[in-house]
Amino acid sequence: ELLATIQRHFMKSAHREWHGVKLMVTAGPTREKIDPVRFFTNRSSGKMGYAIAEEAAARGADVTLISGPVSLPKPQGVTLVQVESAAEMFAAVADRFQQSDIVIKAAAVADYRPKHTYEQKIKKQDGDWSVEMERTSDILKTLGKKRTHQILVGFAAETENLESNAKQKVESKRVDIIAANSITAPGSGFQGDTNELTLYTKDGDVIHIPLTSKKEAAGKLLDTAMSVYRKSKA
Amino acid sequence: ELLATIQRHFMKSAHREWHGVKLMVTAGPTREKIDPVRFFTNRSSGKMGYAIAEEAAARGADVTLISGPVSLPKPQGVTLVQVESAAEMFAAVADRFQQSDIVIKAAAVADYRPKHTYEQKIKKQDGDWSVEMERTSDILKTLGKKRTHQILVGFAAETENLESNAKQKVESKRVDIIAANSITAPGSGFQGDTNELTLYTKDGDVIHIPLTSKKEAAGKLLDTAMSVYRKSKA
């Protein structure tokens, strides 16, 4: 316990630049209900977002974690806000956007939801079923338009054309950094404890983070976010 | 450790009738893929099925647990088979049906799946999207037709008309017991650690299990299954 306290102290001393920085992190999937039982969702464990939140809190940041349904313990020293749907995620993020300094959107928010949600469980019937879906709001794009002083970091999970999609996203969503991961690369992506990321900044920097633990990847992502944040204050 | 060993010994002595009985339990949701990222699923934690498997193993049964994706530890002393989709669940259950004595289907198997599964992540587009769904195979009904000596227990999770739906299921699926739970009743259903069940047997018995831990409910469900099994052997 004493050792842990000392470690926390040194960790914070080594990262003084994070003290008091208001960081909002989103994590996990969202669930889009069809009825009380059935829903659409995404393959996301939430591990990357939780690793970022935990690492930033250890560095001394003031962290709020907005999380979809995951089975991970609450990271120490963060404020956890639990949401279920993309609409709830949007509301929770929008509420806290103005007072944030850095926002890292690691959640895999559903981009479609069923047009109709039924109060009662739909009884199955013979034959096919056509589920009408509509777009959810694009949270990152909305934040990109509303931003004043905030540093914005988004994620891109792609199975193909990773680089061009990521670079396009930096432009079209007006964000500072896109962290791109190939969800089909071995050891990378949604479920595991490791990740390989490439960061694309709005200044055209490309920073490759080779396959490593999500904790290490989180640290390097935070380093890059901090350097963009410092430049913006300079 | 000695105490645990002694407890296990008494547990097994108290339930000699379970020794060597081959029990197959299914648990959890299934995931029906649209593409590598998006899928349809159900609200099921797997806790009820895992509680049944664990309790039966403690009583001395030879337990195989066929489980969809959940975040629960493997229960002690059971053979665990992990599956993802309804089709995989069907195959795993069918493979092991002949050599089973009692089958308890606690899984919340998806009854619809997308007609097409895409190899690459579908890029989102403006406007709506209509997802064509088709029925999955009805595992319980198929087993009801194929059964020779097996005792069959199904679950019914309903939001309305619980009793009539459950009684109809006993008939139409040719099962021995339907365990019905109201997923809208407080403390009952998919996510929590407690459950309230009503068992409907093919002989017309109605056994109410008041709100209790899933472990206790599992024990009472196993008692009823054993009594039906004994009658079938008599």
Side-chain angles (χ1 to χ4, degrees), chain A residues 34 36-43 71 84 111-112 115 120-121 124-125 127-133 135 157-159 183, chain B residues 34 36-43 71 84 111-112 115 120-121 123-125 128-133 135 157-159 183:
Chain A
I34 299 176
V37 177
R38 301 175 178 94
F39 58 93
F40 263 107
T41 188
N42 298 297
R43 211 169 279 275
S71 19
E84 181 158 306
D111 35 28
Y112 289 92
K115 267 193 175 176
Q120 302 293 341
K121 183 181 169 190
K124 64 188 167 197
Q125 300 185 313
D128 296 346
W129 180 26
S130 183
V131 180
E132 297 301 317
M133 309 278 279
R135 287 287 305 275
E158 304 284 351
T159 54
I183 52 182
Chain B
I34 299 176
V37 177
R38 299 175 178 96
F39 60 92
F40 261 106
T41 189
N42 298 298
R43 209 170 281 274
S71 19
E84 181 157 306
D111 35 27
Y112 289 92
K115 268 192 173 176
Q120 302 293 342
K121 182 180 168 189
K123 295 292 288 180
K124 64 188 169 197
Q125 298 184 314
D128 297 345
W129 180 25
S130 181
V131 180
E132 296 303 316
M133 309 279 280
R135 286 288 304 275
E158 305 285 351
T159 53
I183 53 184

Short mmCIF file of all heavy atoms in Angstrom, two decimals, chain A residues 34 36-43 71 84 111-112 115 120-121 124-125 127-133 135 157-159 183, chain B residues 34 36-43 71 84 111-112 115 120-121 123-125 128-133 135 157-159 183:
data_model
loop_
_atom_site.label_atom_id
_atom_site.label_comp_id
_atom_site.label_asym_id
_atom_site.label_seq_id
_atom_site.Cartn_x
_atom_site.Cartn_y
_atom_site.Cartn_z
N ILE A 34 -34.21 -2.96 -30.11
CA ILE A 34 -35.37 -3.23 -30.96
C ILE A 34 -36.59 -3.42 -30.06
O ILE A 34 -37.65 -2.90 -30.32
CB ILE A 34 -35.13 -4.49 -31.81
CG1 ILE A 34 -33.92 -4.29 -32.72
CG2 ILE A 34 -36.39 -4.83 -32.62
CD1 ILE A 34 -33.55 -5.52 -33.53
N PRO A 36 -37.49 -5.07 -25.62
CA PRO A 36 -36.80 -5.20 -24.32
C PRO A 36 -35.69 -6.26 -24.31
O PRO A 36 -34.87 -6.28 -23.40
CB PRO A 36 -37.93 -5.62 -23.36
CG PRO A 36 -39.17 -5.13 -24.01
CD PRO A 36 -38.95 -5.23 -25.48
N VAL A 37 -35.67 -7.14 -25.31
CA VAL A 37 -34.70 -8.24 -25.31
C VAL A 37 -33.65 -8.10 -26.41
O VAL A 37 -32.47 -8.35 -26.19
CB VAL A 37 -35.46 -9.58 -25.49
CG1 VAL A 37 -34.48 -10.74 -25.58
CG2 VAL A 37 -36.44 -9.79 -24.35
N ARG A 38 -34.09 -7.71 -27.59
CA ARG A 38 -33.20 -7.70 -28.76
C ARG A 38 -32.55 -6.33 -28.98
O ARG A 38 -33.22 -5.30 -28.82
CB ARG A 38 -33.99 -8.06 -30.01
CG ARG A 38 -34.66 -9.42 -29.98
CD ARG A 38 -35.50 -9.59 -31.24
NE ARG A 38 -36.16 -10.88 -31.31
CZ ARG A 38 -37.40 -11.12 -30.90
NH1 ARG A 38 -38.13 -10.15 -30.36
NH2 ARG A 38 -37.92 -12.32 -31.04
N PHE A 39 -31.30 -6.33 -29.40
CA PHE A 39 -30.65 -5.07 -29.75
C PHE A 39 -29.51 -5.29 -30.73
O PHE A 39 -29.00 -6.39 -30.89
CB PHE A 39 -30.16 -4.34 -28.50
CG PHE A 39 -29.18 -5.12 -27.65
CD1 PHE A 39 -27.80 -4.98 -27.84
CD2 PHE A 39 -29.62 -5.98 -26.66
CE1 PHE A 39 -26.90 -5.68 -27.05
CE2 PHE A 39 -28.71 -6.69 -25.87
CZ PHE A 39 -27.36 -6.54 -26.07
N PHE A 40 -29.17 -4.20 -31.39
CA PHE A 40 -28.00 -4.10 -32.25
C PHE A 40 -26.83 -3.60 -31.42
O PHE A 40 -27.02 -2.73 -30.56
CB PHE A 40 -28.21 -3.03 -33.32
CG PHE A 40 -28.67 -3.55 -34.62
CD1 PHE A 40 -29.98 -3.35 -35.02
CD2 PHE A 40 -27.81 -4.22 -35.47
CE1 PHE A 40 -30.41 -3.81 -36.24
CE2 PHE A 40 -28.24 -4.69 -36.68
CZ PHE A 40 -29.55 -4.49 -37.08
N THR A 41 -25.64 -4.08 -31.71
CA THR A 41 -24.49 -3.52 -31.00
C THR A 41 -23.21 -3.74 -31.79
O THR A 41 -23.26 -4.16 -32.95
CB THR A 41 -24.38 -4.08 -29.57
OG1 THR A 41 -23.37 -3.38 -28.85
CG2 THR A 41 -24.05 -5.57 -29.56
N ASN A 42 -22.08 -3.42 -31.17
CA ASN A 42 -20.77 -3.51 -31.81
C ASN A 42 -19.85 -4.36 -30.98
O ASN A 42 -20.02 -4.48 -29.78
CB ASN A 42 -20.13 -2.13 -31.87
CG ASN A 42 -20.92 -1.17 -32.69
OD1 ASN A 42 -21.09 -1.38 -33.87
ND2 ASN A 42 -21.44 -0.15 -32.05
N ARG A 43 -18.84 -4.85 -31.63
CA ARG A 43 -17.85 -5.67 -30.99
C ARG A 43 -16.81 -4.77 -30.31
O ARG A 43 -15.81 -4.42 -30.90
CB ARG A 43 -17.19 -6.49 -32.09
CG ARG A 43 -16.68 -7.84 -31.72
CD ARG A 43 -16.33 -8.59 -32.98
NE ARG A 43 -17.49 -9.17 -33.60
CZ ARG A 43 -17.98 -10.36 -33.26
NH1 ARG A 43 -17.43 -11.06 -32.32
NH2 ARG A 43 -19.05 -10.82 -33.88
N SER A 71 -17.89 -5.17 -19.37
CA SER A 71 -17.71 -5.92 -18.11
C SER A 71 -16.32 -5.68 -17.57
O SER A 71 -15.54 -6.59 -17.40
CB SER A 71 -17.98 -7.41 -18.32
OG SER A 71 -17.91 -7.77 -19.66
N GLU A 84 -26.19 3.62 -22.22
CA GLU A 84 -26.48 2.42 -23.00
C GLU A 84 -26.50 2.71 -24.51
O GLU A 84 -25.78 2.08 -25.26
CB GLU A 84 -27.81 1.80 -22.55
CG GLU A 84 -28.10 0.54 -23.36
CD GLU A 84 -29.06 -0.43 -22.71
OE1 GLU A 84 -28.82 -0.81 -21.54
OE2 GLU A 84 -30.04 -0.82 -23.38
N ASP A 111 -23.58 3.38 -35.40
CA ASP A 111 -23.92 4.45 -36.33
C ASP A 111 -25.32 4.29 -36.91
O ASP A 111 -25.83 5.19 -37.56
CB ASP A 111 -22.86 4.63 -37.42
CG ASP A 111 -22.24 3.34 -37.85
OD1 ASP A 111 -22.93 2.30 -37.75
OD2 ASP A 111 -21.08 3.34 -38.32
N TYR A 112 -25.96 3.14 -36.63
CA TYR A 112 -27.37 2.95 -37.00
C TYR A 112 -28.15 2.45 -35.79
O TYR A 112 -27.59 1.75 -34.94
CB TYR A 112 -27.49 1.91 -38.12
CG TYR A 112 -26.99 2.39 -39.46
CD1 TYR A 112 -25.65 2.15 -39.83
CD2 TYR A 112 -27.82 3.06 -40.34
CE1 TYR A 112 -25.18 2.60 -41.06
CE2 TYR A 112 -27.36 3.49 -41.58
CZ TYR A 112 -26.03 3.26 -41.93
OH TYR A 112 -25.57 3.68 -43.15
N LYS A 115 -35.35 2.09 -36.31
CA LYS A 115 -36.24 3.26 -36.37
C LYS A 115 -37.30 3.20 -35.29
O LYS A 115 -37.73 4.21 -34.78
CB LYS A 115 -36.93 3.30 -37.73
CG LYS A 115 -36.22 4.13 -38.75
CD LYS A 115 -37.13 4.36 -39.96
CE LYS A 115 -36.47 5.30 -40.94
NZ LYS A 115 -37.28 5.47 -42.15
N GLN A 120 -42.87 -4.02 -25.87
CA GLN A 120 -43.02 -5.42 -25.53
C GLN A 120 -42.15 -6.26 -26.46
O GLN A 120 -41.89 -5.85 -27.59
CB GLN A 120 -44.48 -5.87 -25.67
CG GLN A 120 -45.47 -5.09 -24.81
CD GLN A 120 -45.28 -5.32 -23.31
OE1 GLN A 120 -44.66 -6.30 -22.89
NE2 GLN A 120 -45.78 -4.41 -22.50
N LYS A 121 -41.74 -7.41 -25.98
CA LYS A 121 -40.94 -8.31 -26.80
C LYS A 121 -41.74 -8.73 -28.03
O LYS A 121 -42.88 -9.18 -27.92
CB LYS A 121 -40.58 -9.55 -25.96
CG LYS A 121 -39.69 -10.54 -26.69
CD LYS A 121 -39.39 -11.75 -25.81
CE LYS A 121 -38.74 -12.86 -26.61
NZ LYS A 121 -38.65 -14.11 -25.84
N LYS A 124 -41.75 -13.97 -32.22
CA LYS A 124 -41.20 -14.39 -33.51
C LYS A 124 -42.31 -14.97 -34.37
O LYS A 124 -43.29 -15.51 -33.88
CB LYS A 124 -40.06 -15.38 -33.32
CG LYS A 124 -40.46 -16.69 -32.70
CD LYS A 124 -39.22 -17.52 -32.38
CE LYS A 124 -39.62 -18.68 -31.48
NZ LYS A 124 -38.46 -19.28 -30.80
N GLN A 125 -42.14 -14.83 -35.65
CA GLN A 125 -43.13 -15.32 -36.60
C GLN A 125 -42.42 -16.08 -37.71
O GLN A 125 -41.21 -15.98 -37.85
CB GLN A 125 -43.90 -14.14 -37.19
CG GLN A 125 -44.63 -13.36 -36.11
CD GLN A 125 -45.50 -12.26 -36.69
OE1 GLN A 125 -45.07 -11.51 -37.55
NE2 GLN A 125 -46.73 -12.18 -36.22
N GLY A 127 -41.07 -16.83 -41.35
CA GLY A 127 -40.65 -15.98 -42.45
C GLY A 127 -39.65 -14.92 -42.05
O GLY A 127 -39.18 -14.88 -40.92
N ASP A 128 -39.32 -14.06 -43.00
CA ASP A 128 -38.27 -13.08 -42.82
C ASP A 128 -38.80 -11.84 -42.11
O ASP A 128 -39.98 -11.71 -41.83
CB ASP A 128 -37.68 -12.70 -44.18
CG ASP A 128 -37.00 -13.90 -44.83
OD1 ASP A 128 -36.77 -14.90 -44.12
OD2 ASP A 128 -36.74 -13.83 -46.03
N TRP A 129 -37.87 -10.96 -41.83
CA TRP A 129 -38.19 -9.76 -41.09
C TRP A 129 -37.24 -8.67 -41.56
O TRP A 129 -36.03 -8.90 -41.63
CB TRP A 129 -38.00 -10.04 -39.60
CG TRP A 129 -38.29 -8.91 -38.66
CD1 TRP A 129 -39.13 -7.85 -38.86
CD2 TRP A 129 -37.75 -8.74 -37.34
NE1 TRP A 129 -39.14 -7.04 -37.76
CE2 TRP A 129 -38.32 -7.55 -36.81
CE3 TRP A 129 -36.86 -9.46 -36.56
CZ2 TRP A 129 -38.01 -7.07 -35.54
CZ3 TRP A 129 -36.55 -8.98 -35.30
CH2 TRP A 129 -37.12 -7.81 -34.78
N SER A 130 -37.78 -7.54 -41.89
CA SER A 130 -36.95 -6.45 -42.36
C SER A 130 -36.90 -5.39 -41.27
O SER A 130 -37.92 -4.83 -40.89
CB SER A 130 -37.56 -5.91 -43.65
OG SER A 130 -36.75 -4.90 -44.16
N VAL A 131 -35.70 -5.15 -40.73
CA VAL A 131 -35.55 -4.17 -39.65
C VAL A 131 -35.10 -2.84 -40.24
O VAL A 131 -34.02 -2.74 -40.83
CB VAL A 131 -34.54 -4.66 -38.59
CG1 VAL A 131 -34.38 -3.63 -37.48
CG2 VAL A 131 -34.95 -6.00 -38.02
N GLU A 132 -35.94 -1.84 -40.09
CA GLU A 132 -35.62 -0.52 -40.63
C GLU A 132 -34.69 0.22 -39.66
O GLU A 132 -35.01 0.39 -38.49
CB GLU A 132 -36.89 0.31 -40.85
CG GLU A 132 -37.85 -0.29 -41.86
CD GLU A 132 -37.21 -0.46 -43.23
OE1 GLU A 132 -36.49 0.48 -43.66
OE2 GLU A 132 -37.37 -1.54 -43.84
N MET A 133 -33.55 0.65 -40.20
CA MET A 133 -32.57 1.33 -39.36
C MET A 133 -32.39 2.77 -39.83
O MET A 133 -32.54 3.07 -41.01
CB MET A 133 -31.22 0.61 -39.49
CG MET A 133 -31.29 -0.89 -39.27
SD MET A 133 -31.29 -1.33 -37.54
CE MET A 133 -29.51 -1.21 -37.23
N ARG A 135 -29.76 6.45 -39.18
CA ARG A 135 -28.47 6.89 -38.66
C ARG A 135 -28.60 7.50 -37.27
O ARG A 135 -29.57 8.19 -36.98
CB ARG A 135 -27.85 7.91 -39.62
CG ARG A 135 -27.32 7.32 -40.92
CD ARG A 135 -26.04 6.53 -40.69
NE ARG A 135 -25.05 7.36 -40.03
CZ ARG A 135 -24.24 8.17 -40.68
NH1 ARG A 135 -24.25 8.22 -41.99
NH2 ARG A 135 -23.38 8.91 -40.01
N ALA A 157 -11.78 2.43 -36.62
CA ALA A 157 -11.59 0.98 -36.67
C ALA A 157 -12.00 0.54 -38.06
O ALA A 157 -13.15 0.67 -38.45
CB ALA A 157 -12.47 0.31 -35.62
N GLU A 158 -11.05 0.07 -38.82
CA GLU A 158 -11.34 -0.24 -40.21
C GLU A 158 -10.86 -1.65 -40.53
O GLU A 158 -9.95 -2.17 -39.91
CB GLU A 158 -10.60 0.73 -41.15
CG GLU A 158 -10.89 2.19 -40.90
CD GLU A 158 -12.26 2.64 -41.40
OE1 GLU A 158 -12.93 1.85 -42.11
OE2 GLU A 158 -12.66 3.75 -41.06
N THR A 159 -11.47 -2.25 -41.52
CA THR A 159 -10.98 -3.53 -42.02
C THR A 159 -10.23 -3.35 -43.34
O THR A 159 -9.55 -4.25 -43.79
CB THR A 159 -12.13 -4.54 -42.22
OG1 THR A 159 -13.12 -3.96 -43.06
CG2 THR A 159 -12.76 -4.92 -40.89
N ILE A 183 -8.74 -3.66 -37.31
CA ILE A 183 -9.38 -4.64 -36.45
C ILE A 183 -9.17 -6.06 -36.96
O ILE A 183 -9.52 -7.01 -36.29
CB ILE A 183 -10.88 -4.35 -36.27
CG1 ILE A 183 -11.57 -4.19 -37.61
CG2 ILE A 183 -11.06 -3.09 -35.45
CD1 ILE A 183 -13.04 -3.84 -37.50
N ILE B 34 -23.56 -9.00 -38.70
CA ILE B 34 -23.84 -8.29 -39.94
C ILE B 34 -22.54 -8.12 -40.71
O ILE B 34 -22.48 -8.32 -41.92
CB ILE B 34 -24.48 -6.91 -39.66
CG1 ILE B 34 -25.78 -7.10 -38.90
CG2 ILE B 34 -24.69 -6.14 -40.95
CD1 ILE B 34 -26.43 -5.80 -38.48
N PRO B 36 -17.84 -7.59 -39.68
CA PRO B 36 -16.90 -7.92 -38.61
C PRO B 36 -17.10 -7.13 -37.32
O PRO B 36 -16.56 -7.50 -36.27
CB PRO B 36 -15.53 -7.58 -39.24
CG PRO B 36 -15.74 -7.63 -40.70
CD PRO B 36 -17.15 -7.18 -40.93
N VAL B 37 -17.86 -6.05 -37.37
CA VAL B 37 -18.01 -5.18 -36.21
C VAL B 37 -19.43 -5.22 -35.63
O VAL B 37 -19.63 -5.27 -34.43
CB VAL B 37 -17.66 -3.72 -36.59
CG1 VAL B 37 -17.88 -2.78 -35.42
CG2 VAL B 37 -16.21 -3.64 -37.06
N ARG B 38 -20.42 -5.19 -36.51
CA ARG B 38 -21.82 -5.05 -36.07
C ARG B 38 -22.51 -6.39 -35.92
O ARG B 38 -22.33 -7.28 -36.75
CB ARG B 38 -22.59 -4.23 -37.09
CG ARG B 38 -22.07 -2.82 -37.31
CD ARG B 38 -22.85 -2.17 -38.44
NE ARG B 38 -22.45 -0.80 -38.70
CZ ARG B 38 -21.59 -0.46 -39.65
NH1 ARG B 38 -21.01 -1.37 -40.41
NH2 ARG B 38 -21.30 0.82 -39.83
N PHE B 39 -23.34 -6.52 -34.90
CA PHE B 39 -24.13 -7.74 -34.77
C PHE B 39 -25.41 -7.49 -33.99
O PHE B 39 -25.55 -6.50 -33.29
CB PHE B 39 -23.30 -8.86 -34.13
CG PHE B 39 -22.78 -8.57 -32.75
CD1 PHE B 39 -23.50 -8.92 -31.63
CD2 PHE B 39 -21.56 -7.93 -32.57
CE1 PHE B 39 -23.01 -8.64 -30.34
CE2 PHE B 39 -21.07 -7.65 -31.31
CZ PHE B 39 -21.80 -8.01 -30.19
N PHE B 40 -26.35 -8.42 -34.16
CA PHE B 40 -27.59 -8.49 -33.40
C PHE B 40 -27.36 -9.41 -32.22
O PHE B 40 -26.69 -10.44 -32.35
CB PHE B 40 -28.67 -9.18 -34.24
CG PHE B 40 -29.60 -8.25 -34.91
CD1 PHE B 40 -29.51 -8.05 -36.27
CD2 PHE B 40 -30.58 -7.59 -34.20
CE1 PHE B 40 -30.38 -7.21 -36.92
CE2 PHE B 40 -31.46 -6.74 -34.83
CZ PHE B 40 -31.35 -6.55 -36.20
N THR B 41 -27.97 -9.11 -31.09
CA THR B 41 -27.87 -10.04 -29.98
C THR B 41 -29.03 -9.86 -29.01
O THR B 41 -29.98 -9.13 -29.31
CB THR B 41 -26.50 -9.90 -29.27
OG1 THR B 41 -26.35 -10.94 -28.31
CG2 THR B 41 -26.39 -8.55 -28.58
N ASN B 42 -28.95 -10.53 -27.89
CA ASN B 42 -29.99 -10.52 -26.87
C ASN B 42 -29.42 -10.11 -25.54
O ASN B 42 -28.24 -10.29 -25.28
CB ASN B 42 -30.55 -11.93 -26.67
CG ASN B 42 -31.18 -12.44 -27.92
OD1 ASN B 42 -32.14 -11.89 -28.40
ND2 ASN B 42 -30.60 -13.49 -28.46
N ARG B 43 -30.30 -9.66 -24.69
CA ARG B 43 -29.92 -9.23 -23.35
C ARG B 43 -29.86 -10.45 -22.44
O ARG B 43 -30.86 -10.83 -21.85
CB ARG B 43 -31.02 -8.27 -22.89
CG ARG B 43 -30.63 -7.21 -21.92
CD ARG B 43 -31.79 -6.24 -21.78
NE ARG B 43 -31.83 -5.33 -22.90
CZ ARG B 43 -31.12 -4.19 -22.93
NH1 ARG B 43 -30.34 -3.85 -21.93
NH2 ARG B 43 -31.19 -3.40 -23.97
N SER B 71 -19.42 -12.84 -19.85
CA SER B 71 -18.21 -12.50 -19.08
C SER B 71 -18.28 -13.14 -17.71
O SER B 71 -18.24 -12.45 -16.70
CB SER B 71 -18.01 -10.99 -18.99
OG SER B 71 -19.18 -10.29 -19.27
N GLU B 84 -20.57 -18.85 -30.66
CA GLU B 84 -20.95 -17.45 -30.85
C GLU B 84 -22.37 -17.29 -31.42
O GLU B 84 -23.21 -16.65 -30.82
CB GLU B 84 -19.93 -16.74 -31.75
CG GLU B 84 -20.32 -15.28 -31.94
CD GLU B 84 -19.19 -14.35 -32.32
OE1 GLU B 84 -18.17 -14.32 -31.62
OE2 GLU B 84 -19.34 -13.64 -33.34
N ASP B 111 -33.48 -15.51 -32.39
CA ASP B 111 -34.40 -16.21 -33.28
C ASP B 111 -34.37 -15.64 -34.70
O ASP B 111 -34.96 -16.22 -35.62
CB ASP B 111 -35.82 -16.29 -32.71
CG ASP B 111 -36.22 -15.05 -31.94
OD1 ASP B 111 -35.66 -13.98 -32.24
OD2 ASP B 111 -37.07 -15.16 -31.05
N TYR B 112 -33.69 -14.52 -34.89
CA TYR B 112 -33.46 -13.97 -36.23
C TYR B 112 -31.97 -13.69 -36.42
O TYR B 112 -31.28 -13.37 -35.46
CB TYR B 112 -34.23 -12.66 -36.42
CG TYR B 112 -35.74 -12.85 -36.50
CD1 TYR B 112 -36.52 -12.78 -35.37
CD2 TYR B 112 -36.35 -13.09 -37.73
CE1 TYR B 112 -37.91 -12.96 -35.43
CE2 TYR B 112 -37.72 -13.26 -37.81
CZ TYR B 112 -38.50 -13.19 -36.67
OH TYR B 112 -39.85 -13.37 -36.74
N LYS B 115 -29.70 -11.89 -43.04
CA LYS B 115 -29.63 -12.80 -44.19
C LYS B 115 -28.25 -12.82 -44.79
O LYS B 115 -27.81 -13.84 -45.29
CB LYS B 115 -30.63 -12.34 -45.26
CG LYS B 115 -31.99 -12.98 -45.15
CD LYS B 115 -32.78 -12.70 -46.42
CE LYS B 115 -34.08 -13.48 -46.40
NZ LYS B 115 -34.91 -13.15 -47.57
N GLN B 120 -16.26 -7.49 -44.95
CA GLN B 120 -15.64 -6.22 -44.59
C GLN B 120 -16.65 -5.35 -43.87
O GLN B 120 -17.86 -5.48 -44.09
CB GLN B 120 -15.15 -5.49 -45.84
CG GLN B 120 -14.14 -6.27 -46.68
CD GLN B 120 -12.81 -6.49 -45.96
OE1 GLN B 120 -12.49 -5.78 -45.01
NE2 GLN B 120 -12.03 -7.45 -46.43
N LYS B 121 -16.15 -4.47 -43.02
CA LYS B 121 -17.04 -3.54 -42.32
C LYS B 121 -17.78 -2.67 -43.33
O LYS B 121 -17.16 -2.06 -44.20
CB LYS B 121 -16.19 -2.67 -41.38
CG LYS B 121 -17.00 -1.70 -40.55
CD LYS B 121 -16.10 -0.86 -39.66
CE LYS B 121 -16.86 0.30 -39.05
NZ LYS B 121 -15.96 1.25 -38.36
N LYS B 123 -19.28 0.51 -44.71
CA LYS B 123 -19.12 1.93 -44.43
C LYS B 123 -20.50 2.56 -44.26
O LYS B 123 -21.42 2.28 -45.03
CB LYS B 123 -18.40 2.63 -45.61
CG LYS B 123 -16.96 2.17 -45.84
CD LYS B 123 -16.02 2.59 -44.73
CE LYS B 123 -15.75 4.09 -44.75
NZ LYS B 123 -14.80 4.45 -43.63
N LYS B 124 -20.62 3.41 -43.26
CA LYS B 124 -21.93 4.04 -43.06
C LYS B 124 -22.19 5.04 -44.18
O LYS B 124 -21.26 5.59 -44.76
CB LYS B 124 -22.01 4.70 -41.70
CG LYS B 124 -21.04 5.83 -41.48
CD LYS B 124 -21.08 6.30 -40.05
CE LYS B 124 -19.91 7.24 -39.79
NZ LYS B 124 -19.66 7.41 -38.37
N GLN B 125 -23.46 5.22 -44.47
CA GLN B 125 -23.84 6.14 -45.54
C GLN B 125 -24.97 7.03 -45.04
O GLN B 125 -25.58 6.76 -44.02
CB GLN B 125 -24.31 5.33 -46.76
CG GLN B 125 -23.21 4.43 -47.30
CD GLN B 125 -23.62 3.71 -48.55
OE1 GLN B 125 -24.70 3.14 -48.63
NE2 GLN B 125 -22.75 3.72 -49.54
N ASP B 128 -31.31 5.93 -44.48
CA ASP B 128 -31.72 4.75 -43.73
C ASP B 128 -31.10 3.48 -44.30
O ASP B 128 -30.44 3.50 -45.33
CB ASP B 128 -33.26 4.64 -43.73
CG ASP B 128 -33.88 5.83 -43.01
OD1 ASP B 128 -33.15 6.55 -42.31
OD2 ASP B 128 -35.09 6.04 -43.19
N TRP B 129 -31.35 2.40 -43.60
CA TRP B 129 -30.77 1.12 -43.98
C TRP B 129 -31.77 0.06 -43.55
O TRP B 129 -32.25 0.07 -42.42
CB TRP B 129 -29.44 0.95 -43.25
CG TRP B 129 -28.69 -0.33 -43.52
CD1 TRP B 129 -28.77 -1.13 -44.62
CD2 TRP B 129 -27.72 -0.93 -42.65
NE1 TRP B 129 -27.91 -2.19 -44.50
CE2 TRP B 129 -27.25 -2.10 -43.29
CE3 TRP B 129 -27.20 -0.61 -41.39
CZ2 TRP B 129 -26.31 -2.94 -42.73
CZ3 TRP B 129 -26.26 -1.45 -40.84
CH2 TRP B 129 -25.80 -2.59 -41.49
N SER B 130 -32.06 -0.83 -44.45
CA SER B 130 -33.01 -1.88 -44.13
C SER B 130 -32.25 -3.19 -44.01
O SER B 130 -31.62 -3.63 -44.97
CB SER B 130 -34.06 -1.94 -45.24
OG SER B 130 -34.99 -2.93 -44.96
N VAL B 131 -32.25 -3.78 -42.82
CA VAL B 131 -31.50 -5.03 -42.61
C VAL B 131 -32.46 -6.21 -42.74
O VAL B 131 -33.42 -6.33 -41.97
CB VAL B 131 -30.84 -5.04 -41.21
CG1 VAL B 131 -30.08 -6.34 -40.99
CG2 VAL B 131 -29.91 -3.85 -41.05
N GLU B 132 -32.20 -7.04 -43.72
CA GLU B 132 -33.05 -8.21 -43.96
C GLU B 132 -32.65 -9.33 -43.01
O GLU B 132 -31.50 -9.73 -42.96
CB GLU B 132 -32.90 -8.69 -45.41
CG GLU B 132 -33.37 -7.68 -46.45
CD GLU B 132 -34.82 -7.28 -46.24
OE1 GLU B 132 -35.66 -8.17 -46.00
OE2 GLU B 132 -35.10 -6.06 -46.30
N MET B 133 -33.64 -9.82 -42.27
CA MET B 133 -33.37 -10.86 -41.27
C MET B 133 -34.13 -12.13 -41.64
O MET B 133 -35.22 -12.07 -42.23
CB MET B 133 -33.86 -10.39 -39.90
CG MET B 133 -33.35 -9.02 -39.48
SD MET B 133 -31.69 -9.07 -38.83
CE MET B 133 -32.06 -9.63 -37.15
N ARG B 135 -35.19 -16.26 -40.04
CA ARG B 135 -35.29 -17.03 -38.82
C ARG B 135 -34.10 -17.97 -38.66
O ARG B 135 -33.59 -18.54 -39.62
CB ARG B 135 -36.59 -17.87 -38.84
CG ARG B 135 -37.86 -17.05 -38.61
CD ARG B 135 -37.95 -16.60 -37.15
NE ARG B 135 -37.88 -17.74 -36.27
CZ ARG B 135 -38.92 -18.49 -35.93
NH1 ARG B 135 -40.12 -18.17 -36.36
NH2 ARG B 135 -38.77 -19.52 -35.13
N ALA B 157 -38.82 -16.45 -21.77
CA ALA B 157 -38.66 -15.10 -21.23
C ALA B 157 -39.68 -14.23 -21.93
O ALA B 157 -39.62 -14.04 -23.13
CB ALA B 157 -37.25 -14.59 -21.49
N GLU B 158 -40.64 -13.75 -21.18
CA GLU B 158 -41.73 -13.02 -21.81
C GLU B 158 -41.94 -11.69 -21.10
O GLU B 158 -41.62 -11.54 -19.93
CB GLU B 158 -43.05 -13.82 -21.70
CG GLU B 158 -42.99 -15.22 -22.26
CD GLU B 158 -43.00 -15.28 -23.78
OE1 GLU B 158 -43.24 -14.22 -24.42
OE2 GLU B 158 -42.77 -16.36 -24.34
N THR B 159 -42.50 -10.75 -21.82
CA THR B 159 -42.89 -9.51 -21.17
C THR B 159 -44.40 -9.46 -20.94
O THR B 159 -44.90 -8.62 -20.22
CB THR B 159 -42.47 -8.27 -22.00
OG1 THR B 159 -42.95 -8.42 -23.33
CG2 THR B 159 -40.95 -8.15 -22.03
N ILE B 183 -39.44 -11.05 -17.60
CA ILE B 183 -38.22 -10.24 -17.64
C ILE B 183 -38.51 -8.80 -17.24
O ILE B 183 -37.59 -8.01 -17.09
CB ILE B 183 -37.56 -10.29 -19.02
CG1 ILE B 183 -38.57 -9.92 -20.11
CG2 ILE B 183 -36.97 -11.66 -19.27
CD1 ILE B 183 -37.99 -10.04 -21.50
#
